[in-house]
Amino acid sequence: MTLKAILTDIEGTTSAVSFVFDVLFPYARAHLPDFVRTHAEQPEVALQLEAVRQETGETQADVEHVISILLDWIEADRKATPLKVLQGMVWQQGYEAGQLKGHVYPDAVRALRRWKTAGYSLYVYSSGSIQAQKLIFGYAEVGDLTPLFSGYFDTTSGGKRDTTSYQGIAKAIGFAASEILFLSDIKEELDAARQAGMQTIGLARQGGILEGHTTVADFEAINL
Ligand SMILES: CSCCC(=O)C(=O)COP(=O)(O)O
Ligand SMILES: [Mg+2]
């Protein structure tokens, strides 16, 4: 099958789950309350606070209550778009201050560089906001990896377990779904991508099999 583009997940695929859970989420938990208090009137922040109110039906919630909802969502790893957008804004401060460095597995860095040189177009699809995606790759430990990527998709393209999201992404990329390879560590995401017609490879970095999909332990084991 012809392959023209690679669409990759981040957490558990290009980057360690532990980086997200032990570094990024605690950073957001610590800094999001003051960030929201300070910037609540800023239009792009106010828009997300309003989105939280709409999503929970708590239309009269004050800023402190919205903050407590957001902290609950971090705890529950909710992939809610307003939380993801706000996390991206908070992380930007951390990356710019040198307090955060994006973790990307060395095998992923090597393979992504090789595939780009070989002429494949590279895209990212993560529940993290597009801003957060650009930050993890832009401030990677090995330097700026963003020149490798031709585009980014987040939850504004739909949920990662929904087939329609992958159909929409293929349309946006401009290739047939069958010409796109999706990489992820989550079986349900791979199932949805395959249902949309994409090629799939599962990443099981701790070992194991993502049932129904070719599964590898790292990017070096992917032969295009
Ligand atoms: C873009 S780094 C932040 C990761 C994040 O917030 C997240 O929810 C990870 O989701 P993924 O779809 O990459 O598994
Ligand atoms: Mg993942």
Side-chain angles (χ1 to χ4, degrees):
M1 229 181 295
T2 327
L3 180 66
K4 293 192 176 161
I6 295 147
L7 175 68
T8 186
D9 165 59
I10 295 180
E11 180 194 303
T13 302
T14 62
S15 307
V17 172
S18 60
F19 174 66
V20 175
F21 277 83
D22 301 340
V23 179
L24 288 181
F25 287 174
Y27 188 94
R29 210 175 290 128
H31 296 277
L32 186 136
D34 273 349
F35 176 86
V36 169
R37 286 180 196 117
T38 308
H39 299 94
E41 305 297 323
Q42 227 170 271
E44 55 272 34
V45 174
L47 191 70
Q48 302 312 324
L49 301 184
E50 191 50 33
V52 174
R53 293 187 185 99
Q54 293 306 319
E55 195 158 330
T56 55
E58 302 206 45
T59 54
Q60 304 305 315
D62 63 14
V63 170
E64 289 305 319
H65 188 55
V66 174
I67 289 171
S68 76
I69 293 169
L70 288 163
L71 293 175
D72 288 346
W73 284 0
I74 293 175
E75 218 50 49
D77 189 22
R78 274 279 301 275
K79 307 293 190 188
T81 300
L83 169 64
K84 292 292 154 188
V85 172
L86 291 167
Q87 279 178 327
M89 293 176 186
V90 171
W91 291 331
Q92 171 144 21
Q93 298 191 331
Y95 284 109
E96 285 177 350
Q99 295 165 329
L100 296 173
K101 280 271 172 217
H103 175 266
V104 185
Y105 286 111
D107 58 86
V109 174
R110 284 192 297 272
L112 290 167
R113 284 181 173 151
R114 197 166 57 243
W115 296 339
K116 179 74 178 171
T117 302
Y120 297 105
S121 301
L122 306 180
Y123 294 88
V124 181
Y125 182 28
S126 168
S127 300
S129 68
I130 288 173
Q131 181 183 20
Q133 297 172 25
K134 290 179 177 171
L135 289 166
I136 194 170
F137 290 116
Y139 288 89
E141 289 150 353
V142 292
D144 182 8
L145 296 172
T146 56
L148 293 173
F149 297 103
S150 301
Y152 303 84
F153 300 92
D154 62 12
T155 53
T156 59
S157 292
K160 294 185 74 189
R161 299 177 185 208
D162 299 337
T163 299
T164 52
S165 306
Y166 298 87
Q167 290 166 337
I169 288 171
K171 208 167 178 183
I173 289 176
F175 293 138
S178 60
E179 296 172 323
I180 301 170
L181 168 65
F182 178 58
L183 307 175
S184 175
D185 63 324
I186 303 292
K187 177 187 166 354
E188 289 80 1
E189 296 176 3
L190 295 165
D191 289 345
R194 169 170 302 150
Q195 192 67 31
M198 288 187 185
Q199 301 176 47
T200 58
I201 294 182
L203 271 291
R205 290 188 172 273
Q206 313 300 326
I209 292 285
L210 288 151
E211 208 188 312
H213 302 274
T214 300
T215 304
V216 295
D218 62 38
F219 277 46
E220 292 295 2
I222 300 173
N223 297 306
L224 301 182

